[in-house]
Amino acid sequence: MAPRTDLAARTDQEIVVLARAGQEAAYRELIRRYERPLFSLLYRMVRDRELAEDLAQETFIKALNAIESYRPEYKFSSWIFKIANNAAIDHLRRRELDTLSLEGSPHAETPEAVEATALQIGDRQESPLDAVEARELGGQIEQAIAQLRPEYRSCILLRHVEGRAYEEIAEILGLPLGTVKTYIHRARNELRQALAHLRE
Amino acid sequence: MNGDFSPLHFGPDELDAWLAGVRAPELVGHVSACPECRELVRAEEALIGQLAALPLYAPAADFGERVMASVRIPDPFAIRALQGARRRLLASRRSVAIAATVAVVLLGSMAASAAWTLANRDTLLAAGNWLAGEAGRWAWVGLRGAALNLIEQPWFSGFRSLVDAPARLAVASGAMSLMYVSGIFALRRLLAIPTQRVAHANG
């Protein structure tokens, strides 16, 4: 079995080969690499912590149990983001959510449920003041993203939060390249307008 | 610079090019001359910076374990065995030809068998009935033969007189049981591992 440090230096494709050979450590490495990006994308799409975890879990289980069907000529990240995005869009089609709450799910009915669904920000080291400021600015950006149409939201998150190329986004979302570019421009226009008061 | 000035405002393509770091003279000329586009690129750059600075969120600490509990990991030994068999099978043209022939013969015979079975159900039923009857007849003949053989043994009359008198049978059974138990005890004693240390065993 390859040690963890060795796995960390390998490409996704190499890790997938090891996973297909039955190495449990390779599965864990894939989860380690993608749990935060996938969970962040899903949280920003559905705006409910518990639901985002459920969708992220569903995504990983679906992807890892079907790892034999993954075709190595595509990027692993595109494949797993596609599964995650489909899960989020399917959910959003079933259920419409309107507002983002950094403090907890809008559907939480008790204080415990609000706390359970509240966001836990990842690995940033900030002073309390920085954290409050970042939370205010970040919160307003998150609110503005939440107001976008789901298709625009996926595009803008993948492009400017995840840093994916236009072509990869088109592959993930199954959309023509031109449509992806249009969605991203429109999403940025809407975000600029929503955040205009911050520039004044 | 002003000679490269483009009178048209930035469209999506020009904006994309600018944000990707392209500084073509006509773009630079237009931005420096047009306050509207200058403001646009400044706002876009600020927005992209803010989006890129958004934090990554972490799922619960036990997330990975929960996922792993539902993931089916293939058995590496089975995979290796399968890969080894596949390698050996595809090692030469001859082995591929043999494997293909065996596969064709097996599949062909299975298909022929299935087809014949479907086409000759009545024949199969009759054959089955005949085989069952024959098997029963031969079993009865065998049983009768074994019983006759037993009766003709020289010790059978003694055994029969013993069975006829229940008291004698009980005594004989008791004696045999006692002998059996004694034999078991004797065997245990013989096979027991000594627990006492043997003097000078270590030299």
Side-chain angles (χ1 to χ4, degrees):
Chain A
M1 186 179 289
R4 163 84 183 274
T5 46
D6 183 30
L7 286 177
R10 295 187 185 216
T11 64
D12 284 354
Q13 259 75 359
E14 289 170 334
I15 302 286
V16 168
V17 170
L18 294 174
R20 281 177 170 174
Q23 281 205 18
E24 189 183 324
Y27 284 84
R28 290 185 185 278
E29 177 64 17
L30 290 172
I31 296 171
R32 190 190 66 77
R33 284 185 188 192
Y34 287 102
E35 64 178 350
R36 286 184 180 214
L38 279 190
F39 175 70
S40 301
L41 175 79
L42 288 165
Y43 183 83
R44 289 185 169 112
M45 289 296 289
V46 300
R47 294 165 283 150
D48 180 316
R49 182 179 172 78
E50 275 184 26
L51 179 59
E53 273 206 19
D54 286 348
L55 292 175
Q57 193 173 335
E58 182 189 317
T59 300
F60 273 112
I61 292 169
K62 202 180 270 185
L64 297 180
N65 279 338
I67 200 118
E68 282 297 325
S69 68
Y70 163 67
R71 289 158 63 189
E73 62 264 31
Y74 297 108
K75 287 178 84 170
F76 181 79
S77 60
S78 301
W79 188 60
I80 200 159
F81 271 110
K82 185 175 195 149
I83 296 172
N85 186 68
N86 287 344
I89 295 291
D90 283 351
H91 171 79
L92 291 173
R93 279 182 189 149
R94 286 197 301 267
R95 183 175 160 186
E96 233 179 88
L97 297 172
D98 299 314
T99 54
L100 166 70
S101 170
L102 285 175
E103 309 304 332
S105 167
H107 298 279
E109 287 172 1
T110 63
E112 291 77 23
V114 169
E115 195 179 342
T117 57
L119 268 184
Q120 288 172 10
I121 291 176
D123 51 359
R124 293 225 165 170
Q125 296 290 320
E126 293 170 327
S127 71
L129 186 62
D130 288 343
V132 170
E133 284 177 352
R135 198 177 173 85
E136 279 183 2
L137 175 64
Q140 293 193 48
I141 297 170
E142 301 275 15
Q143 286 277 8
I145 293 170
Q147 300 305 318
L148 297 172
R149 281 169 49 180
E151 299 83 3
Y152 291 5
R153 217 180 303 162
S154 301
C155 285
I156 205 82
L157 290 172
L158 288 167
R159 175 72 184 139
H160 293 302
V161 181
E162 281 302 317
R164 305 280 153 190
Y166 284 127
E167 291 77 9
E168 194 183 345
I169 298 169
E171 196 180 301
I172 290 169
L173 303 180
L175 293 171
L177 188 59
T179 307
V180 168
K181 286 184 176 178
T182 305
Y183 281 4
I184 289 173
H185 280 288
R186 287 181 188 164
R188 281 208 307 254
N189 279 340
E190 288 185 20
L191 288 179
R192 265 205 329 276
Q193 285 164 19
L195 300 169
H197 63 282
L198 293 176
R199 296 200 301 274
E200 287 159 5
Chain B
M1 183 79 71
N2 283 343
D4 296 324
F5 173 77
S6 163
L8 296 173
H9 286 308
F10 270 22
D13 291 339
E14 290 78 18
L15 196 55
D16 262 350
W18 183 273
L19 294 173
V22 175
R23 295 294 181 265
E26 64 273 20
L27 297 182
V28 175
H30 183 84
V31 166
S32 56
C34 174
E36 205 176 317
C37 287
R38 198 160 52 244
E39 173 55 23
L40 175 69
V41 294
R42 198 188 64 77
E44 285 273 301
E45 284 169 343
L47 174 66
I48 289 169
Q50 287 161 354
L51 288 169
L54 286 176
L56 279 182
Y57 298 124
D62 64 342
F63 177 78
E65 289 309 317
R66 276 189 280 134
V67 171
M68 286 303 289
S70 301
V71 172
R72 296 183 302 273
I73 300 172
D75 178 8
F77 296 108
I79 292 171
R80 270 202 291 275
L82 202 65
Q83 284 170 344
R86 195 186 300 165
R87 254 198 313 277
R88 281 193 298 277
L89 200 66
L90 302 175
S92 66
R93 280 187 170 187
R94 191 165 165 262
S95 59
V96 172
I98 291 170
T101 308
V102 169
V104 166
V105 168
L106 274 176
L107 289 173
S109 55
M110 281 166 73
S113 165
W116 189 87
T117 304
L118 287 173
N120 298 280
R121 278 186 187 170
D122 293 341
T123 312
L124 273 176
L125 200 63
N129 287 338
W130 178 81
L131 274 175
E134 283 297 297
R137 201 169 62 81
W138 280 105
W140 176 240
V141 168
L143 191 66
R144 275 184 63 192
L148 285 173
N149 192 21
L150 194 70
I151 289 166
E152 283 169 10
Q153 294 300 317
W155 48 264
F156 185 78
S157 57
F159 176 73
R160 188 160 181 185
S161 64
L162 189 69
V163 172
D164 284 345
R168 271 194 288 173
L169 182 64
V171 169
S173 300
M176 281 174 74
S177 300
L178 194 65
M179 280 170 66
Y180 178 75
V181 171
S182 306
I184 292 286
F185 273 109
L187 198 61
R188 272 190 68 182
R189 215 178 150 76
L190 276 172
L191 296 176
I193 298 166
T195 52
Q196 296 281 332
R197 287 191 65 168
V198 179
H200 311 298
N202 295 328

